[in-house]
Amino acid sequence: IPKKLVTTVSSCADDALAGVVACNSGLRLLQGHRVVLRDDLQAIRGRVALLSGGGSGHEPAHAGYVGKGMLTGVVAGAMFASPSVGSILAAIRAVAQAGAAGILLIVKNYTGDRLNFGMALERARAEGTDVRMVVVGDDCAFTKPGKAGRRGICGTILIHKVAGALAEAGASLDEIEKKAMAAAKVMGTLGLSLSPCSIPGSKPSFQLAEDEMELGLGIHGEAGVLRMKVLPADKAVETMLKHMTDPSSASHLSLTPGSSVVLVVNNLGGLSCLELGIVAGAAVRCLENQGISIVRALVGSFMTAMEMAGVSLTLMLVDEELLRLIDAKTMAMAWPNILAGPATTRREEVPAPVEPLRKQQDETGTGLSTARVERVLQRVCSTLLDMKEKLNELDRGAGDGDCGHTHAQAAQAIQEWMHSQPPPAAPAQLLSNLADVVLEQMGGSSGVLYGLFLTAAAQSLRSRSDTAAWADAMDAGIEAMQRYGGAAPGDRTMLDSLFAATQALHSLRSPGADPLQVLAAAVQSAEAAAEATRHMEAGAGRASYVHSSRLEQPDAGAVAVAAVLGAVLE
């Protein structure tokens, strides 16, 4: 039996409704019944009241559509079960006694819902209440629907919206009934699922193999019309739309090029938002390619089937009046508050910003030649390429074993960059350009850390390049890495080697210091610090999630930094 986060199995439907009402000041429960009503019932005096409902397990349906501009109230049944006649009648009486000028019941086409809402309607009429019922059957799954007719599924929410906007505008019961029935006839819905669903305390209603998907199943896990191998999202959407609009099917929706539709891409409960976005984009693209105008698109969870990993597509053919009703404002919490406008995959992109031209460096003598820069960089790249497997091996204990790979990527990118143009001799320009290369090509957090270090170091070398400036540049680079990366010396990261080398380079500020001797000492300090990481407990980076007893090797990043510094000195 699948796990569910409920308090008790028997109370889950009541608890879910209570939670919705607790968090929404515009809703109230009807005492003694599983009924949710608008808080401002006095506002419906002289207007038509709209009631709907059905089994629980389809959240946010149905309580999510209660509010000004949509439903007046809903009646919830137990899990996947029709609500009781007594509760439906109580809801009818509550809105009638609040002064409603007629009541419309909007019911999904399931036998239990039709029977229970129909029985309540007859009893209310016997009491003298003007009640009508619109039955919605929007399912396009079956090519030859049986006696029961087409099932009522996610398209029902569009009928809630159309009727709600009309009621809010003061339309009569006759007009609302007529227009709701007309709207129900120009829409279709089809579901597709990768998994079954289950109600709390029960096993899934059916099984699907790992490589299977099912087309046309209902919102209670009822059987669909076709099982097939899992398709890519775009092909699955094509299959769905083709089935929905197949003229040989008795339950098809007639679409012709130039038609205007509202599209609903509905998560059946367990699909990730990422997958839903992919499906939505594929649906818009597929319809556009057929010459269909998608005047509005609603994407989200509107009528679910518990945790079913699936999606349904609803299309409603609309004219200007229907679209105005869809766009009308509502306070119902589950209706998406989006900007009214068409859906298209051909939306013009914002032009990419133009990179500002870099000023030529005002440097007072660089002390570097292009040939020397190329020699040093070539040594660094060769060193990193030779160490690829060693660094990967060191990284396996603490990370995902790709440290050598990312450093080799950086080395290859720097070689290609040098091949395409001579590197600048100006230190600030050189470090800034190297930062661009590693940020673009290196990948991983290492690429960003090196980019931070080089960018900050370059700033210190903009107007001076004496030996002491290099010590300041190292300090600036370290400070930037610590500020954004969060690591500190002793945390078993690449920073350990860099920090040790930087401390040694502080000697460059002393008058008469020998730069080569100081650099040699810096390399030795970096190598010693890298080796010392073998005995450290990781305090930052991916390795900090690994138990210290498993970290028997020095940190791969620290070893790489020491090797880079060593190659510079050679």
Side-chain angles (χ1 to χ4, degrees), residues 203-285:
K203 291 181 178 177
S205 51
F206 64 94
Q207 293 297 328
L208 272 174
E210 284 295 312
D211 62 345
E212 283 184 328
M213 53 182 12
E214 184 153 349
L215 186 74
L217 64 190
I219 53 171
H220 311 94
E222 310 97 317
V225 291
L226 178 67
R227 278 196 183 186
M228 53 193 174
K229 296 294 181 188
V230 172
L231 296 170
D234 54 349
K235 299 296 180 194
V237 166
E238 272 180 40
T239 304
M240 293 173 79
L241 291 171
K242 189 175 179 184
H243 188 92
M244 289 172 73
T245 58
D246 180 1
S248 69
S249 167
S251 59
H252 80 283
L253 178 69
S254 295
L255 276 190
T256 52
S259 297
S260 292
V261 299
V262 169
L263 165 70
V264 182
V265 183
N266 172 53
N267 189 344
L268 286 169
L271 207 67
S272 68
C273 292
L274 179 136
E275 292 163 282
L276 197 67
I278 293 169
V279 169
V284 170
R285 197 176 305 111

Side-chain angles (χ1 to χ4, degrees), residues 52 65 121 135 289 338 358 416-417 421 430 438 486:
S52 188
Y65 303 109
L121 176 144
V135 178
N289 290 342
I338 54 171
R358 281 214 179 105
E416 287 169 17
W417 170 66
Q421 61 187 60
L430 173 64
V438 295

Side-chain angles (χ1 to χ4, degrees), residues 274-402:
L274 179 136
E275 292 163 282
L276 197 67
I278 293 169
V279 169
V284 170
R285 197 176 305 111
C286 189
L287 289 166
E288 275 186 323
N289 290 342
Q290 294 173 32
I292 309 300
S293 173
I294 307 106
V295 291
R296 299 290 181 271
L298 283 59
V299 182
S301 298
F302 302 110
M303 189 173 287
T304 63
M306 287 301 294
E307 79 280 31
M308 185 180 282
V311 64
S312 68
L313 299 178
T314 299
L315 295 173
M316 176 187 268
L317 288 159
V318 292
D319 54 17
E320 281 186 20
E321 186 195 9
L322 264 182
L323 187 58
R324 220 170 24 248
L325 297 171
I326 293 289
D327 284 342
K329 188 162 176 54
T330 177
M331 298 298 289
M333 64 169 188
W335 188 262
N337 183 22
I338 54 171
L339 191 66
T344 176
T345 56
R346 299 159 189 169
R347 220 177 291 286
E348 192 176 340
E349 295 182 346
V350 176
V354 178
E355 278 199 48
L357 285 171
R358 281 214 179 105
K359 292 178 185 173
Q360 285 301 107
Q361 301 305 320
D362 304 324
E363 299 198 33
T364 56
T366 65
L368 298 174
S369 70
T370 298
R372 188 176 168 197
V373 169
E374 284 183 337
R375 279 199 308 275
V376 171
L377 287 178
Q378 197 55 58
R379 278 203 307 272
V380 169
C381 292
S382 299
T383 300
L384 291 176
L385 289 167
D386 291 344
M387 293 180 73
K388 179 180 174 180
E389 289 311 319
K390 178 186 175 183
L391 292 175
N392 280 343
E393 187 58 40
L394 289 175
D395 193 36
R396 279 189 192 105
D400 50 7
D402 68 346

Side-chain angles (χ1 to χ4, degrees), residues 52 122 253 444 449 509:
S52 188
E122 293 300 331
L253 178 69
L449 287 166
R509 294 176 181 139

Side-chain angles (χ1 to χ4, degrees), residues 118-171:
M119 182 69 239
L121 176 144
E122 293 300 331
R123 288 184 62 182
R125 279 184 178 168
E127 294 171 3
T129 308
D130 190 1
V131 192
R132 318 270 178 88
M133 184 161 85
V134 169
V135 178
V136 181
D138 55 317
D139 186 14
C140 293
F142 297 99
T143 53
K144 293 179 181 174
K147 200 169 184 181
R150 296 164 66 184
R151 297 175 293 204
I153 43 181
C154 187
T156 310
I157 68 158
L158 295 177
I159 305 305
H160 292 161
K161 184 69 185 62
V162 166
L166 286 164
E168 191 59 40

